């Protein structure tokens, strides 16, 4: 993929809930191909706030078949970027954006007859909605069941759009809302999507064996609970797709182990390629990651979260060995293919060779 940033003009900012908007972009013909995306992918944005460059990733909330490029952005407490998008951004403004990327994706097939299940919490609905609409639009014989958790009904993103989809795909889409702060008649739908709730869902509403893919995106504890519940029923990892937006800090033990690894790597030489340019870099432990070492050496290596989540900093190791502190962004297949998250990576051998041009 290209790691360049492009300037896009905002076509519309639509208020979805009191603290969330969707943003649609104008796509000039010259950028259509660059911004062609797969359902479930995200975009990296960058903007200066008080002289500091801030980057954030936001998922698309549309299906490629809709012919528009649109994201969902929920305002988070103290979030400089999400607050600016919610409060200030308007139609006609311009913003810098990287081409779509991400692997929270599925190969849809018009002839397939599949069962899909989405578990979404809060703004985690954004990529799940993209996948859901794509499944329903491109696979006319497939079914989708959505379990969607929120604090209260006022905060449910895309509520009307999901209701309209239910009307449109009467026999193929089922939607169950779970609210933490409002009481429903049926007890199952009260409270958060935790392990007990997921076990109940798997016992009474769906049969995990017949589900082809589970798409999961929401708060970390919700995703962990669902993943555990599915694993306890023997659902293979290949049928569980998870998208994380954020993650917590390293534990003290993890941080100490990471620091020891960085210090051991001091001076190890790496050969790094980006946009056809190759540089030699000696690892400096004070810069902590391969990513920051590469950027300090003058190559504008891509990044967004720097937390091992978004995979914007992905590169392929073709020689030597590296170790990652955490990885929430790469699939097992990507790791087997040699990909690493460079914001989390430390060299553990001499002569590491890696490329961002993949
Ligand atoms: S920058 Fe997000 S995973 Fe590395």
């Amino acid at each position: 993929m290209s790691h360049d940033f492009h300037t896009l003009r905002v076509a519309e900012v639509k208020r979805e809930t009191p603290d969330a908007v969707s943003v649609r972009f104008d796509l000039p013909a010259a950028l259509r191909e660059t911004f062609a995306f797969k359902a479930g992918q995200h975009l990296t944005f960058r903007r200066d706030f008080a002289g500091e460059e801030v980057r954030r990733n936001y998922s698309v909330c549309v299906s490629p078949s809709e012919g528009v490029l649109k994201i969902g952005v929920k305002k988070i407490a103290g979030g400089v970027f999400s607050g600016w998008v919610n409060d200030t951004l308007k139609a006609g403004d311009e913003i810098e954006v990287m081409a779509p990327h991400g692997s929270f994706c599925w190969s849809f097939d018009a002839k397939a007859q599949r069962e899909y299940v989405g578990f979404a919490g809060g703004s985690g609905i954004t990529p799940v909605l993209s996948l859901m609409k794509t499944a329903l639009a491109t696979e006319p014989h497939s079914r989708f069941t959505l379990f969607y958790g929120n604090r209260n009904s006022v905060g449910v993103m895309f509520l009307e759009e999901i209701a309209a989809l239910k009307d449109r795909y009467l026999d193929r889409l089922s939607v169950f809302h779970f609210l933490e702060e409002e009481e429903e008649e049926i007890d199952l739908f009260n409270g958060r999507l935790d392990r007990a709730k997921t076990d109940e869902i798997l016992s009474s509403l769906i049969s995990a064996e017949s589900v082809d893919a589970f798409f999961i995106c929401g708060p970390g504890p919700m995703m962990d609970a669902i993943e555990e519940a599915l694993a306890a029923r023997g659902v293979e990892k290949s049928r569980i797709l998870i998208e994380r937006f954020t993650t917590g800090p390293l534990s003290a033990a993890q941080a100490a182990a990471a620091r020891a690894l960085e210090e051991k790597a001091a001076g190890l030489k790496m050969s790094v390629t980006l946009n056809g340019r190759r540089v030699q870099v000696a690892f400096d432990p004070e810069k902590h990651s391969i990513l920051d070492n590469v950027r300090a050496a003058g190559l504008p290596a891509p990044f967004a979260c720097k937390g091992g989540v978004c995979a914007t900093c992905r590169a392929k190791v073709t020689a030597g060995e590296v170790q990652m502190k955490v990885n929430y962004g790469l699939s097992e297949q990507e790791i087997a293919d040699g990909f690493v998250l460079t914001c989390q990576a430390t060299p553990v051998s001499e002569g590491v060779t890696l490329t961002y041009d993949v």
Side-chain angles (χ1 to χ4, degrees):
M1 65 167 279
S2 154
H3 301 114
D4 298 338
F5 278 87
H6 305 270
T7 302
L8 291 185
R9 188 182 298 272
V10 173
E12 184 190 21
V13 179
K14 186 177 168 213
R15 182 136 302 279
E16 299 287 344
T17 71
D19 61 359
V21 292
S22 60
V23 182
R24 182 167 57 83
F25 299 96
D26 276 332
L27 261 191
L31 287 179
R32 292 249 160 85
E33 208 175 303
T34 306
F35 280 88
F37 63 92
K38 289 188 199 151
Q41 285 194 312
H42 46 80
L43 303 171
T44 301
F45 295 82
R46 90 173 163 195
R47 186 174 188 273
D48 272 10
F49 290 91
E52 195 187 326
E53 182 186 293
V54 178
R55 297 186 178 199
R56 290 291 181 272
N57 279 341
Y58 294 107
S59 294
V60 293
C61 58
V62 280
S63 163
S65 62
E66 290 175 76
V68 295
L69 182 65
K70 193 167 154 185
I71 56 163
V73 181
K74 183 172 179 175
K75 187 177 179 173
I76 56 166
V80 51
F81 210 110
S82 63
W84 172 75
V85 171
N86 268 265
D87 301 336
T88 311
L89 191 70
K90 56 183 188 320
D93 288 350
E94 291 186 331
I95 188 164
E96 285 189 278
V97 195
M98 208 189 275
H101 59 103
S103 51
F104 189 51
C105 298
W106 181 258
S107 292
F108 293 103
D109 170 0
K111 294 188 287 297
Q113 182 173 357
R114 294 182 179 137
E115 283 288 332
Y116 298 110
V117 169
F119 282 101
S123 59
I125 187 64
T126 314
V128 175
L129 180 62
S130 168
L131 288 157
M132 183 171 100
K133 288 196 279 190
T134 307
L136 293 166
T138 60
E139 295 187 354
H141 309 295
S142 294
R143 281 188 42 82
F144 201 107
T145 305
L146 174 66
F147 299 101
Y148 185 10
N150 281 281
R151 279 229 169 85
N152 50 47
S153 46
V154 183
V156 180
M157 287 174 76
F158 307 113
L159 183 62
E160 280 171 27
E161 184 173 359
I162 292 168
L165 286 166
K166 246 178 96 178
D167 288 343
R168 181 165 166 202
Y169 298 109
L170 267 181
D171 316 327
R172 299 198 291 123
L173 173 62
S174 306
V175 178
F176 299 93
H177 288 281
F178 296 77
L179 298 175
E180 283 173 41
E181 295 170 355
E182 289 172 29
E183 290 270 308
E184 296 251 356
E185 263 176 43
I186 303 170
D187 200 40
L188 173 64
F189 304 126
N190 296 323
R192 66 180 61 200
L193 282 166
D194 55 12
R195 174 68 196 269
K197 199 71 78 188
T198 310
D199 281 335
E200 230 178 311
I201 289 169
L202 295 173
S203 302
S204 59
L205 294 177
I206 52 169
S207 148
E209 311 83 73
S210 56
V211 176
D212 294 276
F214 293 88
F215 304 116
I216 307 168
C217 186
M222 180 201 105
M223 293 193 288
D224 294 344
I226 295 167
E227 200 180 3
E228 281 166 22
L230 293 174
R233 281 172 193 253
V235 178
E236 311 82 20
K237 284 200 167 151
S238 58
R239 288 195 283 144
I240 306 174
L241 283 81
I242 294 185
E243 178 79 331
R244 284 177 197 272
F245 286 165
T246 56
T247 178
L250 295 180
S251 68
Q254 282 174 316
R259 187 64 201 146
L261 201 65
E262 287 163 11
E263 277 164 8
K264 206 166 155 208
L268 290 179
K269 289 192 194 57
M270 305 176 287
S271 168
V272 181
T273 305
L274 175 75
N275 296 336
R277 212 178 121 206
R278 172 179 287 215
V279 296
Q280 304 293 324
V281 185
F283 187 82
D284 173 0
E286 294 319 308
K287 297 195 173 62
H288 301 293
S289 64
I290 291 181
L291 172 76
D292 283 343
N293 272 275
V294 170
R295 290 185 65 83
L299 284 188
F303 71 92
C305 73
K306 286 197 179 179
V309 175
C310 70
T312 310
C313 64
R314 192 182 90 138
K316 188 169 185 170
V317 175
T318 54
E321 262 185 73
V322 310
Q323 201 167 313
M324 285 188 281
K325 297 176 189 114
V326 296
N327 163 37
Y328 300 105
L330 294 177
S331 66
E332 281 179 8
Q333 187 57 52
E334 287 174 301
I335 291 172
D337 291 343
F339 287 99
V340 293
L341 301 174
T342 53
C343 75
Q344 297 300 314
T346 309
V348 291
S349 75
E350 192 59 81
V352 165
T353 304
L354 61 87
T355 175
Y356 287 90
D357 296 346
V358 278

